[in-house]
Amino acid sequence: MPTTLTNCGICGKRTEAADCELIGDIWMPATCMACGRKRLLADGGLVVQLSHPPEHARFELGEIQLRPGALHVLTESGEHYWPFILRHARGDSGNFAARTTNRAGKAFLNGRGNIVSEYRTLLGKRVWVITAPGTVTLLLAPGEY
Ligand SMILES: [Zn+2]
């Protein structure tokens, strides 16, 4: 089977497309072995297991789950999920920063004690990143919460 080379969506290194464990993973760059693994869920969502936390992360992301609605929105705008996860992990809560009286850069917590960020894609659609610290991080479209 011929191997396809693509750039890792996280570190940018050339990697074999087969490493991402997905067939037809054209619209979203792969995740290389050094950065983690990806797994497709039955509902079309993706799980990303990072091998190390992102640099300058302020809290533990846990398992990263990319919900199908969010993937759809990112596919439309041609954007990779990683920059959104990174901004969130580094305390940039996006649109929520303006809605909190906390000083800039402080994570926005919802009523359940989860860390929530809201961003807009290049096409103006909203995506949310929600972390239950140390357990799971979800990237989702607002309708999926
Ligand atoms: Zn990588």
Side-chain angles (χ1 to χ4, degrees):
M1 194 178 125
T3 56
T4 314
L5 285 173
T6 182
N7 291 326
C8 169
I10 295 176
C11 72
K13 262 198 316 237
R14 296 295 277 173
T15 185
E16 284 185 20
D19 286 347
C20 69
E21 299 177 346
L22 293 176
I23 297 163
D25 189 27
I26 302 159
W27 50 273
M28 182 184 284
T31 303
C32 80
M33 297 281 276
C35 290
R37 308 284 290 183
K38 286 200 298 201
R39 179 160 50 88
L40 190 62
L41 300 175
D43 65 3
L46 266 182
V47 172
V48 180
Q49 295 279 5
L50 296 179
S51 59
H52 50 271
E55 262 182 62
H56 309 300
R58 297 189 176 195
F59 46 85
E60 252 186 89
L61 295 170
E63 179 178 271
I64 299 172
Q65 292 186 13
L66 313 173
R67 306 309 305 153
L71 292 174
H72 178 75
V73 162
L74 291 180
T75 302
E76 279 180 340
S77 69
E79 290 169 274
H80 195 272
Y81 64 87
W82 186 243
F84 297 100
I85 299 289
L86 211 50
R87 284 176 68 185
H88 172 75
R90 291 174 176 172
D92 168 9
S93 58
N95 298 339
F96 283 145
R99 295 185 203 173
T100 169
T101 54
N102 290 333
R103 67 179 185 278
K106 182 147 186 191
F108 181 76
L109 298 177
N110 72 3
R112 299 179 200 181
N114 296 324
I115 301 163
V116 185
S117 300
E118 180 186 272
Y119 307 106
R120 284 196 190 269
T121 68
L122 292 173
L123 294 178
K125 298 265 183 78
R126 290 185 299 161
V127 290
W128 289 350
V129 188
I130 301 175
T131 295
T135 310
V136 69
T137 292
L138 303 175
L139 177 73
L140 35 77
E144 294 178 297
Y145 188 55

